[in-house]
Each structure stands twice: as structure tokens, then as C-alpha cells.
Amino acid sequence: MNRTAPRPPALVRLALGLTTLAAIPAAAMQAAPHDPPLTIDTHVDIPFAYMREPRFDVGRDTPLKVDLGKMERGGLDAAFFVIWVPQGPLTPAGYARAVEQAGQKYDGIGRMLMQYPDRIRLAATPEQLVANRQAGLLSATIEIENAYSLGHDLRRLDAAFDRGARSVGLVHVGNNDLCSSSLPDTEHGEPAMNSQGDAGMSAFGRAVVQRANRLGMLVDISHASDRCVRDALAVSAAPIIASHSGARAVLDHPRNLPDELLRAIATKGGVVQAVAFKEFLKRDPGREAAEKKLQDAVAKANGDAKYDSDRDDYLPAMAQGMAAIQQQYPLPTLDDYVKQIRHMVQVAGIDHVGIASDFDGGGGITGWNDAGETRNLTAALRHAGFSDADIAKLWGGNLLRVWREVERHAQP
Ligand SMILES: [Zn+2]
């Protein structure tokens, strides 16, 4: 938690829906005639210096793939902004550090909401999200990615809910105290996914899922191991989501879900948000090696021991290097992404698939490389034969249905 920046009281008012729409000036959003009724991207990362450094002031033009102007121009109504922390040691010091890092991210989102109330509002319920859209405003929903940041204390889930978080992603890269990861830290002895040692969900993980059910929070299994997904399906009283995951049958990557789990999530009434992340859409070892080489070079030029995406991702040298890499190893395209969506719809059904970018966390493809290009994806879906009704489901209808269902399971 950032002690120099206490939680802004206005955020509480926003969360409680106590501000009046009368104060809102002329609608900031400019809907186009063929826009879906609502467009929700369920995975947008933010840097730790979000809204603190001028370059990350999202009311201005920024190097970020998602800022308010890009959302408004591109017709992206709502984003799930992510409270991500890297996986660290399962020790009191590690937990304390993760809690503090999560606090910085809550503060960043709070500052955005405080500073630009005439452009973006918190959406802590599906109704608020719809109302924001109707008022011509953007929506911010808050999502935890890696519940390691609860610091192994269930009460922090309630505290996160009070701060506006409405989705809890159990795990990230490397196993944590809740769950085994789809990408365990095998270099340091963690068992491979689906090996005999893969432990699935811990007792604490189960307690978090059950508490999330009672609070009416979405349980998000993106990044979890297959076994942990099965455990979450068994433990959760409510449908679950994958906020940003693809289909393993299309591209064999541990972060993508096998058809069996796509079906199981659908059978339980949940939704899998297909993600526009290059490595889950197209295998390109040449590009991966070139990016790694560039990162090492940029870190070295900066005098850093190793690359730090938060610090280095938006440096001019990085942007220039990435442009050169793009020439040689082009990103996947909208066609690759739509192919994966189509497969997921075939397997899970049109009512159980949605959309996520993972922008500013590595996401972005040719054609949908920032929020300003959102309408390209809608056009690509239409071109691929999806009806307007299907597109409305993919772009947020399904997610809102699941969220409302999760709220019905809440026991305040
Ligand atoms: Zn992620």
C-alpha cells in the first residue's frame, strides 16, 4: 500500500454509486452506428507508476495501449484494470511486498477515477457498467491477477472487495499459496503441470474461492494449472471465468485451455475470454528470441541487471527495436485471433466466450494493437460471419450474464 497516497474518499462514493449523473458533462464517448451495445475487455494491465508519472497519465495521449482517448476513439466501453503482482517467495516478507505492490495499483486506478470523473467511472456492478455506457462514459472494473497479493490473509479479499475489486485471479506464473500454475517455476523445482506432483488447489485457495462466492466476486482461473481449474470448478458455487485464455487445441500452449476444460467451464455457466496475446495465437520462436535479445540489450544500456517491463517497456529504444522485430517476425493477425474465437465458440458455445486483449501486459496483434483499434475486431468478427447478436454476446453480453449470476450467489 502506498502510504503517501491514502485511498481517495471519492472512490468510495463512486463505488457506492453515490455520485449523480447530473454532474456529467456532454457524453465523451462517440458511438458509431455499427457498435455493439457494449464492449468489455476483461484484461488490461497497468504499470506500477500508473497515473503517477506524466507518461502514464491516461487522460492524455500516452505510450500505453489503453488510455482514455484510445478507448473513446476506438469504442471500447469498459476495461477490467488489473491489480497484478509478480510471484515472489511464500514468506512473510514476500507477502508484505505483494500487499504493498497491489496497493500501488489500487492507488493508480483510484487516481484515474478521481481525476477524470467526466470520462471514466468505476463499475462495481453490471448495472453501473451499463449505466456508465448509457451516460456516454467509460467504465473501469478492478480485477486481481495473482491472489498472492492477499498476503495469505482471507480478510484481504474482503478489503479488496471494499476497494472495488470484483474478480479474483487465483495465480500467475509460478505456483503460489492458492494454486498450482499453468507455468510453474520448474527451474526452481516446482513440479510440471499435470505431473504427479502438481498439487492443484490448496486449502487456502478453496477458502478464497468460497469467500469470493459469498462476496459475489468473479473467480478467474486464467494462469491456473488444469488441475487447479478442475478444483475451482468443483469448489465454486457460482460459475467461473477465464479472464484471458485461449484454446490449446488451436495452439498448444500451457496458458491455453484444453477443450475438455472449455466445455466444463461452459457447463457450469461460465465464460472464457479469448485473449489477443501473440504467444497463445502463433508459435514464433524467432520472434521470442529476438525480443529476449532486445530486452537484454535495453536493460544493459540502462545499466540494469535484468529487463524490467515496468521501467523499460515504453523506452524509445524498446519501441524502435520492436518495430524492427515486427518487420522480420510479424505478430499474429486478427485472422489468427478470430480462428481461435471460432474454435472456442464451437467447443463451448456462443454463450460462453468473450474478449480480452492483455494490453500493456504483452497483448496486442496486428489489427488490434491498442484500444483505439477496437472497431477493427468488431469488423473482423462480422466479416467472419458472426451475427450482431453473437458479437454482442462476445463483446460483453456473456460476461455480464456470468457476473449477474455470480452476484446472485452472494451472501452478504
Ligand atoms: Zn496474465
Side-chain angles (χ1 to χ4, degrees):
M1 201 169 296
N2 185 342
R3 290 183 183 78
T4 59
R7 180 190 186 188
L11 181 56
V12 181
R13 295 202 304 275
L14 288 166
L16 297 174
L18 297 180
T19 49
T20 61
L21 295 182
I24 297 169
M29 290 283 291
Q30 289 163 14
H34 295 296
D35 279 351
L38 201 55
T39 50
I40 306 174
D41 176 348
T42 54
H43 206 81
V44 170
D45 272 284
I46 59 170
F48 283 105
Y50 198 67
M51 293 300 297
R52 270 193 286 273
E53 291 180 14
R55 66 186 175 138
F56 298 141
D57 177 347
V58 292
R60 308 180 191 179
D61 205 13
T62 70
L64 295 169
K65 290 178 188 286
V66 180
D67 55 34
L68 304 188
K70 291 186 182 88
M71 289 179 77
E72 287 158 353
R73 285 195 300 279
L76 179 63
D77 301 321
F80 278 38
F81 290 92
V82 174
I83 309 289
W84 170 80
V85 299
Q87 188 56 48
L90 305 179
T91 61
Y95 291 134
R97 170 100 177 111
V99 169
E100 192 235 316
Q101 286 182 314
Q104 288 177 33
K105 298 220 165 179
Y106 283 109
D107 286 343
I109 296 168
R111 280 169 196 235
M112 169 177 74
L113 295 168
M114 283 281 290
Q115 223 161 306
Y116 300 106
D118 55 343
R119 296 174 75 183
I120 187 162
R121 295 276 172 109
L122 186 72
T125 65
E127 284 61 42
Q128 284 175 341
L129 201 150
V130 172
N132 289 344
R133 175 71 180 83
Q134 284 167 353
L137 293 163
L138 306 171
S139 285
T141 295
I142 300 176
E143 168 175 83
I144 294 167
E145 181 175 39
N146 196 1
Y148 173 56
S149 69
L150 299 177
H152 204 77
D153 183 346
L154 198 54
R155 289 169 302 181
R156 286 217 180 80
L157 190 66
D158 290 54
F161 188 85
D162 288 343
R163 295 195 93 168
R166 290 296 179 268
S167 176
V168 55
L170 304 176
V171 65
H172 191 248
V173 174
N175 297 346
N176 68 9
D177 50 327
L178 287 88
C179 232
S180 53
S181 168
S182 57
L183 293 167
D185 186 0
T186 48
E187 276 180 35
H188 292 94
E190 292 181 359
M193 178 164 74
N194 294 328
S195 71
Q196 231 183 350
D198 179 349
M201 191 176 278
S202 69
F204 181 63
R206 286 171 218 277
V208 167
V209 169
Q210 287 164 347
R211 184 68 199 151
N213 288 161
R214 282 197 284 279
L215 288 166
M217 271 175 110
L218 296 157
V219 171
D220 172 14
I221 55 78
S222 283
H223 285 283
S225 69
D226 295 351
R227 182 153 178 207
C228 178
V229 177
R230 283 193 286 272
D231 289 344
L233 284 162
V235 171
S236 179
I240 64 173
I241 71 162
S243 67
H244 60 307
S245 292
R248 205 177 294 170
V250 180
L251 198 283
D252 188 8
H253 190 291
R255 272 284 284 110
N256 286 341
L257 291 163
D259 285 356
E260 164 224 339
L261 291 179
L262 293 174
R263 268 188 222 103
I265 291 168
T267 302
K268 205 179 166 74
V271 63
V272 178
Q273 305 284 111
V275 62
F277 187 91
K278 58 196 173 210
E279 284 163 39
F280 311 159
L281 295 173
K282 177 173 145 185
R283 198 170 304 286
D284 194 345
R287 183 175 178 117
E288 283 172 43
E291 285 190 15
K292 176 81 178 64
K293 201 172 151 192
L294 173 65
Q295 289 178 355
D296 290 345
V298 169
K300 199 172 165 196
N302 257 1
D304 296 333
K306 75 178 180 59
Y307 189 75
D308 179 328
S309 65
D310 233 66
R311 199 170 43 232
D312 304 330
D313 263 2
Y314 302 99
L315 294 174
M318 195 63 200
Q320 284 159 16
M322 288 298 279
I325 288 173
Q326 173 65 12
Q327 290 292 317
Q328 201 178 354
Y329 306 102
L331 282 169
T333 63
L334 278 170
D335 281 350
D336 296 306
Y337 184 46
V338 170
K339 187 174 145 201
Q340 209 170 71
I341 291 175
R342 198 198 297 276
H343 175 84
M344 290 164 74
V345 167
Q346 273 165 4
V347 171
I350 187 65
D351 294 320
H352 304 282
V353 181
I355 288 166
S357 66
D358 210 348
F359 283 149
D360 299 315
I365 54 177
T366 298
W368 191 34
N369 205 18
D370 66 41
E373 297 183 337
T374 294
R375 287 193 179 93
N376 290 352
L377 174 54
T378 306
L381 291 168
R382 202 166 278 133
H383 183 72
F386 287 98
S387 67
D388 284 356
D390 289 346
I391 291 169
K393 288 179 179 185
L394 294 169
W395 256 130
N398 291 336
L399 190 277
L400 284 195
R401 184 201 73 239
V402 175
W403 192 356
R404 290 188 174 112
E405 184 62 26
V406 166
E407 284 191 330
R408 270 194 285 278
H409 282 80
Q411 297 165 359

